[in-house]
Amino acid sequence: MKKTMKKIVSGGLSLLALSSLFLSACGNGGSGKQGGKTTLTVWAWDVALKQLEEAGKVYQESHPDVELKFEEMGTDQIYKKLSTSLATGNGIADIICIEGEYLVGYADKFPEGFLDLSDIVEEKDFLPSKISEVKYNDKIQAFPWDAGPEALFYRTDYFEEAGVDAASLKTWEDLIEAGKKIEATCKTPSGDPVKMLPMDPRKTNFYTLMRSQLGKGAFDENGNPIVNSAESIQAMKEAAKVYESGVCLNYNGWDEYEQTVVNQSVACIPEAVWMIGTIKDKGPDTKGKWSVVDLPMISGGQYSCNNGGSDIVINAKTKSPDIAKDFLKFAMTDTKLQASGFENFGLYPSYIPSYEEEVFSKGDPFFGSTNVYTVFIENGKKVADIATSPNSLEANDSISAAVSKIFLNKEDVEKTMNDLQAELEGKFAKK
């Protein structure tokens, strides 16, 4: 969520500086009673903190005896502080925001670090993929918050000029053929041929998307790597096929990714819902020229994809567990607050009842008459229940290296994935 959170609001929002001193109320496993009030300390970053502060103001109207102290810090600073605090039991907040991809690592390393929230999380009310994300070792480790369901953003003007119907892109082969037509027909404002989509050949994003459509991760439910499974190899071959077709525009890093919108150099972008904010911020002159459809599907695929999102944990040693749970449940299930968080800060809620709020039914006029949110709402419900592993982030570096070998050096997919499997087994295989 580091990229998604800061980019959706203004495209240039950076993480605000962390105060050099932590509030003394944060020490010794929770805040507890202070001056006749119950004090809870909250750690979160930029827009996540702003949304929690808004929830806090509303909560305190009916709970004047609860004081909420909010500490703003970047994600890296939260994780550094969290690791130390969970190990020692000191200096930790009551409520902590954490990116979904990091949660299982902390839950595995510190199995008693977070409160079990099974009593306040009604699983059926949340996107299944988010429940899968927060559930580990038969315990709901965190309250699910925002999600990143994906779809295909596309330029309606480029598609129309090339005579391509976006609804006809059922497979990735369809996308390749459409990309060739668009490149032969359409020009950017600077006069260059328009490429079909952006791709970083050194990152796992596109391979991960393909693999997710097949309902597989890099690890199985027992924590063993499965990067040489039939599904994983199929996903890598399909991703390489799209890259090698020549319809992709190479980029390196987030800034260059944004420039594909600024320069109007691509006809479509397969990305999460939070890309709405980046497109609006970086391409204001393209209003009315974008729309959204489902992603093309890999052969045998049946699932949607997700990219990004965060959750919230409660320190198991908080002195006020019941009040912390009560506030968190309120903040995460009040549908008006969730809608406000999405509209103002780009935090797409995983709490399904939120979608009844008006903002989700009226859509966004920047994207024309089609309600851009409908596709994401439906896709969010169809993300596969993929096994999580505390080793996923560490393994990602090795997977990225394999992607680079295949995309840039044209190395054999099956051999590269078998070599990757052996490497990951050496590091992570369960004995």
Side-chain angles (χ1 to χ4, degrees):
M1 191 162 90
K2 283 177 276 193
K3 291 296 184 189
T4 69
M5 296 287 294
K6 66 182 182 180
K7 295 293 179 183
I8 192 167
V9 180
S10 65
L13 237 170
S14 8
L15 296 170
L16 300 179
L18 169 65
S19 169
S20 59
L21 295 175
F22 292 98
L23 297 174
S24 60
C26 193
N28 299 320
S31 301
K33 290 276 188 180
Q34 292 188 6
K37 287 189 174 185
T38 298
T39 303
L40 298 175
T41 302
V42 181
W43 290 351
W45 53 83
D46 54 17
V47 292
L49 188 85
K50 289 180 173 64
Q51 174 61 14
L52 290 172
E53 286 178 326
E54 180 179 327
K57 290 176 183 177
V58 179
Y59 183 79
Q60 286 175 309
E61 290 175 2
S62 56
H63 297 78
D65 56 337
V66 177
E67 181 178 1
L68 293 158
K69 293 187 175 181
F70 296 93
E71 295 188 19
E72 183 167 10
M73 60 186 79
T75 52
D76 290 344
Q77 293 160 323
I78 283 182
Y79 301 142
K80 182 178 180 180
K81 182 71 175 173
L82 188 58
S83 295
T84 302
S85 299
L86 287 172
T88 63
N90 297 320
I92 185 170
D94 301 278
I95 297 170
I96 304 119
C97 196
I98 185 170
E99 292 168 293
E101 61 183 338
Y102 284 84
L103 174 63
V104 67
Y106 282 99
D108 184 74
K109 188 174 181 179
F110 303 100
E112 304 302 322
F114 307 134
L115 284 185
D116 185 353
L117 304 183
S118 301
D119 57 331
I120 61 170
V121 174
E122 190 68 44
E123 294 187 30
K124 65 179 179 59
D125 289 339
F126 294 86
L127 296 177
S129 60
K130 291 297 289 188
I131 293 298
S132 175
E133 182 177 275
V134 301
K135 207 169 185 178
Y136 186 69
N137 285 342
D138 300 318
K139 173 180 172 181
I140 293 187
Q141 303 277 349
F143 212 106
W145 191 359
D146 63 298
E150 293 186 70
L152 187 71
F153 293 89
Y154 72 96
R155 283 286 297 265
T156 55
D157 54 338
Y158 289 156
F159 272 58
E160 183 177 351
E161 183 180 352
V164 176
D165 178 9
S168 71
L169 303 185
K170 301 299 184 183
T171 69
W172 292 102
E173 182 64 40
D174 293 337
L175 179 136
I176 291 172
E177 293 307 310
K180 292 176 180 178
K181 290 181 182 179
I182 287 173
E183 184 171 357
T185 307
C186 305
K187 301 290 185 182
T188 69
S190 61
D192 297 319
V194 174
K195 288 290 189 177
M196 191 58 170
L197 75 165
M199 191 179 298
D200 186 339
R202 302 167 187 82
K203 298 295 184 182
T204 66
N205 302 49
F206 202 61
Y207 154 69
T208 299
L209 182 154
M210 298 284 192
R211 196 185 62 206
S212 297
Q213 290 189 327
L214 294 168
K216 292 293 182 180
F219 292 83
D220 65 17
E221 61 275 8
N222 296 315
N224 292 304
I226 50 171
V227 292
N228 68 342
S229 67
E231 295 87 352
S232 177
I233 289 174
Q234 180 190 353
M236 187 65 84
K237 285 182 175 179
E238 189 79 359
K241 182 179 180 181
V242 175
Y243 182 75
E244 291 169 3
S245 72
V247 302
C248 301
L249 178 66
N250 281 8
Y251 74 90
N252 182 16
W254 181 263
D255 290 341
E256 289 187 13
Y257 191 33
E258 288 184 321
Q259 286 302 307
T260 65
V261 177
V262 175
N263 298 332
Q264 303 184 52
S265 53
V266 295
C268 61
I269 302 175
E271 194 50 274
V273 61
W274 44 258
M275 194 67 184
I276 288 173
T278 298
I279 290 173
K280 290 171 67 175
D281 180 65
K282 297 300 179 181
D285 295 339
T286 63
K287 181 177 181 179
K289 297 179 180 180
W290 288 92
S291 191
V292 177
V293 292
D294 285 331
L295 290 168
M297 188 64 69
I298 191 171
S299 177
Q302 54 182 313
Y303 297 103
S304 299
C305 308
N306 185 86
N307 182 20
S310 63
D311 307 301
I312 303 185
V313 298
I314 297 178
N315 164 26
K317 294 185 179 180
T318 178
K319 295 177 181 177
S320 307
D322 292 338
I323 295 175
K325 284 183 177 182
D326 188 64
F327 167 67
L328 192 53
K329 182 177 180 180
F330 168 76
M332 296 292 102
T333 61
D334 183 286
T335 59
K336 293 192 182 305
L337 282 170
Q338 292 296 294
S340 172
F342 176 64
E343 194 164 24
N344 295 323
F345 306 120
L347 302 173
Y348 187 84
S350 60
Y351 185 56
I352 296 172
S354 301
Y355 306 148
E356 297 300 319
E357 293 293 334
E358 183 183 6
V359 63
F360 295 99
S361 62
K362 69 182 182 182
D364 190 321
F366 190 98
F367 293 85
S369 58
T370 301
N371 184 350
V372 67
Y373 302 138
T374 301
V375 173
F376 294 106
I377 289 172
E378 292 307 311
N379 284 353
K381 300 173 184 177
K382 296 182 290 186
V383 177
D385 183 4
I386 294 174
T388 56
S389 168
N391 300 313
S392 293
L393 288 173
E394 186 177 348
N396 203 52
D397 289 341
S398 296
I399 299 173
S400 294
V403 169
S404 296
K405 291 176 184 177
I406 292 167
F407 283 17
L408 298 177
N409 300 339
K410 302 188 186 309
E411 296 193 16
D412 181 74
V413 171
E414 292 193 24
K415 180 183 184 304
T416 303
M417 299 308 281
N418 283 326
D419 290 345
L420 175 63
Q421 176 73 13
E423 178 187 347
L424 297 184
E425 283 181 353
K427 292 180 178 179
F428 307 123
K430 302 293 183 180
K431 305 300 183 185

